[in-house]
Amino acid sequence: QLQLVESGGGLVQPGGSLRLSCAASGFTLHHYAIGWFRQAPGKEREGVSCIDRSGDSTNYADSVKGRFTISRDNAKNTVYLQMNSLKPEDTSVYYCAAGPYYCSAYVSPKVYEYSYWGQGTQVTVSS
């Protein structure tokens, strides 16, 4: 069974940091582009970041650029999202997803481009 599992979410104060993990089983993660998405209550799911299969190309939404960093650890079959300087507006359920498409440095990842999805992990930024 192909599976993605997110972890690392939680409650953090504004200005704090979290590192989200996306671990794959049943397939080799480095054969896929990986996207991070988030969805807040009442809003559409939006692309946050992506990384291509080689790790050479990454993308960040304008709202998180300079604060979030995506990376791959192929030996552990895991992708990470380091989130620094968190803001209340970052509060969302965060999802990782795998797909066959190239991650452009200039175009945000789209939901329809991704085939495999995790269950999501809640990130709450509040004082």
Side-chain angles (χ1 to χ4, degrees):
Q1 181 71 41
L2 304 180
Q3 188 174 2
L4 294 170
V5 179
E6 303 97 334
S7 62
L11 195 157
V12 65
Q13 292 184 331
S17 297
L18 288 172
R19 188 179 73 162
L20 305 184
S21 298
C22 176
S25 62
F27 62 101
T28 303
L29 199 58
H30 68 77
H31 290 170
Y32 296 84
I34 304 298
W36 282 99
F37 298 80
R38 66 186 183 186
Q39 187 168 22
K43 296 185 178 180
E44 295 183 356
R45 190 170 298 185
E46 64 174 344
V48 175
S49 183
C50 63
I51 187 167
D52 72 356
R53 57 187 294 181
S54 69
D56 293 332
S57 182
T58 60
N59 175 274
Y60 299 95
D62 288 341
S63 59
V64 307
K65 195 171 298 181
R67 300 188 296 121
F68 291 11
T69 304
I70 191 169
S71 61
R72 313 186 67 130
D73 187 338
N74 290 335
K76 295 183 177 180
N77 214 27
T78 301
V79 172
Y80 303 97
L81 185 68
Q82 179 67 46
M83 306 187 296
N84 298 326
S85 302
L86 284 162
K87 305 174 180 179
E89 66 190 65
D90 296 318
T91 296
S92 286
V93 177
Y94 283 72
Y95 301 87
C96 70
Y101 297 100
Y102 177 79
C103 173
S104 171
Y106 305 105
V107 181
S108 298
K110 309 300 182 186
V111 169
Y112 62 81
E113 296 173 340
Y114 290 82
S115 301
Y116 305 102
W117 291 81
Q119 284 281 98
T121 185
Q122 176 71 48
V123 172
T124 302
V125 185
S126 177
S127 59

